[in-house]
Amino acid sequence: MTPLGRRRLGKAALNAAGVLVFVVATFPVYWMVSTAFKANDQIFTTDFIPFPTHFTFEHVSRVLTDGVAGHSIWLYMRNSAIVALSTVLIGAVFALLSATAIARFRFKGRTAFLALLLVAQMIPAEALLIPLFLSVKRLGLYDQLLGLIVTQVALTLPFGIWMLRTFVAAVPKSLEEAAWIDGASRLTTFWKVLFPLVAPGLVATSIFSFITAWNELIMALYLLGDPTKYTMPVALQYFFGQKGTDWGAIMATSTMMTVPVVIFFLIVQRRMVSGLVAGAVKG
């Protein structure tokens, strides 16, 4: 086989592998969405039915009309949105400021602090459930969305600081020095030079924080006692009953849960490419 033929074969093999990974990764999502619009007789059959032959909005309509545990599904959606967006905004501010301080300044204990960030990422969140519960209880934040928000910020902050530190360190300090020579203050330099260049990293950490907070179940289940303050993952558990599992409602609710995540990704994804070079252009 000629070198050109080997390159084409290798490229075809890589493309086939990529398609295979894509199919494996997206098939569960496809099956969830398709099941949400299948009739019950097609959901509980042992036959493989890849497409709903009788397209129905029964499950979606029932979830929207009847709600969950006597409350509207939009109540749980609102609670999840408050927790997720607050986690993203608060975490982004603290992560960016902390990452900038670590990357730009040399201080005693800096290496130890970075090591602690890695250790914090290695500890499972479930192992911190009891101390976090006691801390939230003592702060008077039990059964409040603010308590869950503080917990999610604490759990996602180490990852955000570690990732943004790499982005800040990659920005040449000469760009900031040039802005200082032109008369810009430190705050102006931070906002107009450094911030646009680290925006892609901020977007990546925001996506991670949003998905983590949006899908959180264990912490929400133990830190919230009032059903009106439950988030979507907790509300989803009501469909798993002693008399059976309502798979149609589960898939319909899960499909609705994925829509805000996709919308959030589409919104922030546009900022990733534009932020790569925006801060390096003077004018």
Side-chain angles (χ1 to χ4, degrees):
M1 182 180 294
T2 62
L4 179 60
R6 284 195 295 268
R7 285 197 298 269
R8 289 180 176 176
L9 181 61
K11 185 176 181 180
L14 289 175
N15 290 336
V19 171
L20 179 62
V21 171
F22 174 80
V23 171
V24 172
T26 58
F27 181 78
V29 179
Y30 161 74
W31 194 257
M32 174 189 69
V33 176
S34 64
T35 304
F37 299 101
K38 288 179 182 178
N40 284 326
D41 58 340
Q42 294 184 344
I43 294 177
F44 294 100
T45 183
T46 56
D47 299 329
F48 178 72
I49 304 178
F51 305 100
T53 56
H54 302 290
F55 200 84
T56 177
F57 284 94
E58 174 190 356
H59 308 300
V60 177
S61 177
R62 179 156 49 87
V63 170
L64 292 176
T65 303
D66 299 340
V68 182
H71 300 286
S72 171
I73 193 67
W74 300 114
L75 174 66
Y76 305 114
M77 191 79 76
R78 185 202 67 182
N79 293 340
S80 290
I82 292 174
V83 173
L85 292 176
S86 299
T87 300
V88 169
L89 294 176
I90 298 174
V93 172
F94 281 99
L96 182 56
L97 295 178
S98 300
T100 303
I102 294 173
R104 285 291 185 258
F105 302 103
R106 298 294 183 266
F107 52 88
K108 189 175 181 180
R110 175 175 173 273
T111 304
F113 180 74
L114 291 174
L116 286 175
L117 290 179
L118 285 179
V119 173
Q121 283 297 109
M122 297 177 186
I123 301 176
E126 291 76 10
L128 302 174
L129 180 59
I130 294 178
L132 285 175
F133 175 82
L134 295 176
S135 299
V136 169
K137 193 87 171 179
R138 290 170 183 171
L139 291 172
L141 297 178
Y142 175 74
D143 199 19
Q144 296 185 32
L145 292 180
L146 180 59
L148 183 58
I149 292 170
V150 172
T151 302
Q152 290 304 303
V153 171
L155 293 176
T156 57
L157 195 56
F159 175 83
I161 295 175
W162 185 268
M163 173 169 282
L164 285 176
R165 167 190 165 272
T166 305
F167 278 84
V168 175
V171 176
K173 198 171 182 180
S174 58
L175 291 176
E176 299 176 55
E177 294 172 347
W180 296 339
I181 294 174
D182 289 341
S185 64
R186 286 186 176 273
L187 182 60
T188 302
T189 302
F190 175 83
W191 182 250
K192 293 189 176 181
V193 177
L194 184 63
F195 178 78
L197 289 172
V198 300
L202 200 60
V203 168
T205 56
S206 297
I207 293 173
F208 170 80
S209 299
F210 186 89
I211 294 176
T212 301
W214 183 265
N215 293 330
E216 179 57 47
L217 171 63
I218 301 299
M219 293 297 174
L221 190 62
Y222 282 91
L223 297 180
L224 300 173
D226 186 357
T228 61
K229 296 178 181 178
Y230 283 165
T231 55
M232 286 292 289
V234 180
L236 192 63
Q237 303 306 305
Y238 279 93
F239 295 116
F240 294 90
Q242 294 180 348
K243 298 181 180 180
T245 302
D246 191 348
W247 287 110
I250 290 174
M251 295 303 179
T253 307
S254 299
T255 301
M256 286 187 282
M257 280 183 61
T258 60
V259 174
V261 178
V262 174
I263 293 175
F264 178 80
F265 175 79
L266 292 177
I267 292 174
V268 299
Q269 180 261 347
R270 298 178 181 179
R271 305 293 188 272
M272 294 187 71
V273 176
S274 60
L276 287 173
V277 296
V281 180
K282 181 181 176 181

